[in-house]
Structure formats: structure tokens, C-alpha cells
Amino acid sequence: SAIDACKSSNGGCSAKAECRRTTPGNRVCVCNAGYTGDGIVCIEINPCLENNGGCDRNAECTQTGPNQAICNCLKGYSGDGKRCTYISLCSQNNGGCSEFAICNDTELTERTCTCKHNYIGDGFKCRGNILQELLRNSNTSRFYFQLEALSIRDIAGPGPFTLFVPHADVLNSDPRVKDWIAKGVMAQVLRYHMVGCASLLYNDLTTITNVTSLQGDPIHISYSQNSLILNNKAEIILSDAVGTNGVIHVINQILVP
């Protein structure tokens, strides 16, 4: 009978090849699917070596087997790997910047936050003038509405100003407020909580004993046991809310001239 050239050790072909009998005693070696070579030597085909394996240019091609690969979009891109599109950080939620900031995509997975004109801050927190800041904070918004009701616009200017703002709960609950409004003296009371020509931070206040209010009367300041007390009565409970034209401190009582 004819000699089978493929009978022993795959006919001398590669283990990754098929031995095919041709004429008696002869054979050819054919590399399996996913491999390339002359049949004696068969090498795994890496599809990533040509045309990035059919992946998008902003994707990574990873060989998973003979002539098999997967495509994964690079960081900063989204898609199925065959098509990848750039993800703009600023397109979602202003990139995590403040609502008063401008978000700029600088490079992949990077962006900058810059406070808009007339705002100050680091871009993640941006603050406007002290009138705007009064309104934005629930502790101080009551004071803002009192100013608006009486058309007091002193602190809308360039300043700088220092405000001692009675906490909203105090302004809401103190029975004297209605009385002062009825008597037409509320504007004086409110102006007594404002200091012009100076933006005095908490640390500055610990070193001075008197400031003059926009109402005209002085406010006495004392510092003891890590507390700042105004007129021996009102304590500063929240401090150093800095705006573009001054600073706000919240106090726990109304100051009376």
C-alpha cells in the first residue's frame, strides 16, 4: 500500500498546521486558520500589527488569540473601540467647576476652572459681591431681604466693607424688628451692622477694639477665650465669607446703636 506521508509526527509539519497527503508518499503542510508560514513553521497572526487591528486610532488593540483582537477606547474617549469619540469634561456639570466659573477642556482628562468676571475664588468655589453672597446663604438671606425692603444699597459699591450679619433665625424671631420697621428706624439698625472702607477678617478683628459703622456709631470689639464679642453681647459664630467687595461675619444677636 502507498506510504502515508502524514502518518508519523504530522508529516514533519508544524503542530499548528494540517498535513495533507498529495501523491503517494508526498504531502503538503498548510498552516491552520489564524497562523501564517510555510506549514513547517507556523506563526500566530497578530492583527494589531496592521492598521491597528481595525480599531479606532484613539483605541488600543489587544491580541486575544491567533488573528483575534479586541479594541478598547483610550482614556478620555468613549465608544466600542472601532469608533471612539472624545469625552469633553466640561460638557457635563460644567466639569465640576462653580456655576460662576468658566470650564476649559485643556487636554485629555484635564480641564481648568476659572471664576467669571466680577467673581473671586479658585474656580471650584467662586464668590460674587457681598450682596450676592448674602442672598446665596440661608444664614444671611434674611438680612439681604431686609436691605432690599428698605432699598439700602450702600454695600453694592466697590467697598471694601465688613458686615456683621445677625443670623436669619435671630432676625426672624426678635420681636423688636417689627417695632423698628414701624418706627422707621430699621435702616439705621441695619447700617449699624456695616463697616465701610475695610475688609476685616476674623484675625484682623482680634487685634482691634472699635470700628465705626456706616450708621455712625462705634461697635466695640472684645476678644477672649477664642471668641469675638461685639458690644459685649453678640458673638461671631461664622466668619470670613469673603466676597469681591468685602467680608461677611455672622453674629448671634442684633446690634442696637
Side-chain angles (χ1 to χ4, degrees), residues 7-234:
K7 195 171 183 184
S8 74
S9 59
N10 201 29
C13 301
S14 163
K16 304 293 185 189
E18 181 190 354
C19 180
R20 292 180 189 165
R21 291 163 63 188
T22 52
T23 54
N26 292 313
R27 55 95 179 103
V28 290
C29 300
V30 181
C31 291
N32 294 339
Y35 293 84
T36 182
D38 60 5
I40 310 295
V41 176
C42 293
I43 298 165
E44 205 171 272
I45 296 169
N46 181 355
C48 296
L49 298 178
E50 198 173 314
N51 195 24
N52 199 28
C55 304
D56 189 273
R57 66 191 181 95
N58 292 306
E60 183 180 29
C61 178
T62 308
Q63 186 185 359
T64 54
N67 207 20
Q68 293 172 315
I70 51 166
C71 304
N72 290 304
C73 294
L74 297 173
K75 196 175 174 190
Y77 291 87
S78 71
D80 61 3
K82 299 285 185 191
R83 277 202 64 203
C84 300
T85 50
Y86 173 59
I87 303 165
S88 161
L89 285 179
C90 293
S91 65
Q92 295 169 310
N93 193 29
N94 201 31
C97 304
S98 161
E99 59 179 313
F100 304 114
I102 295 160
C103 180
N104 269 317
D105 286 295
T106 51
E107 54 183 295
L108 286 183
T109 70
E110 295 291 330
R111 55 92 182 85
T112 59
C113 302
T114 314
C115 292
K116 291 177 181 173
H117 183 59
N118 288 335
Y119 287 87
I120 55 167
D122 60 7
F124 297 99
K125 282 187 85 170
C126 297
R127 293 179 296 274
N129 66 39
I130 47 180
L131 263 180
Q132 291 170 296
E133 293 307 305
L134 284 174
L135 181 58
R136 284 176 63 199
N137 190 320
S138 60
N139 296 323
T140 57
S141 55
R142 192 86 204 103
F143 191 80
Y144 172 87
F145 292 123
Q146 296 276 9
L147 295 179
E148 283 295 294
L150 295 164
S151 300
I152 298 172
R153 305 293 294 170
D154 308 53
I155 57 170
F161 302 99
T162 301
L163 299 189
F164 301 108
V165 179
H167 193 281
D169 296 344
V170 177
L171 280 174
N172 282 332
S173 61
D174 194 314
R176 296 175 297 173
V177 172
K178 281 195 175 96
D179 197 33
W180 289 327
I181 292 170
K183 288 180 178 166
V185 296
M186 192 63 187
Q188 268 108 299
V189 172
L190 293 173
R191 283 198 174 95
Y192 186 53
H193 293 79
M194 307 173 185
V195 176
C197 304
S199 184
L200 299 167
L201 297 173
Y202 192 92
N203 279 347
D204 303 322
L205 294 170
T206 62
T207 63
I208 52 182
T209 53
N210 283 291
V211 287
T212 303
S213 70
L214 290 186
Q215 177 266 343
D217 286 351
I219 301 166
H220 176 69
I221 303 169
S222 54
Y223 181 65
S224 67
Q225 295 174 329
N226 291 333
S227 291
L228 268 172
I229 310 291
L230 309 182
N231 290 350
N232 299 318
K233 281 180 71 172

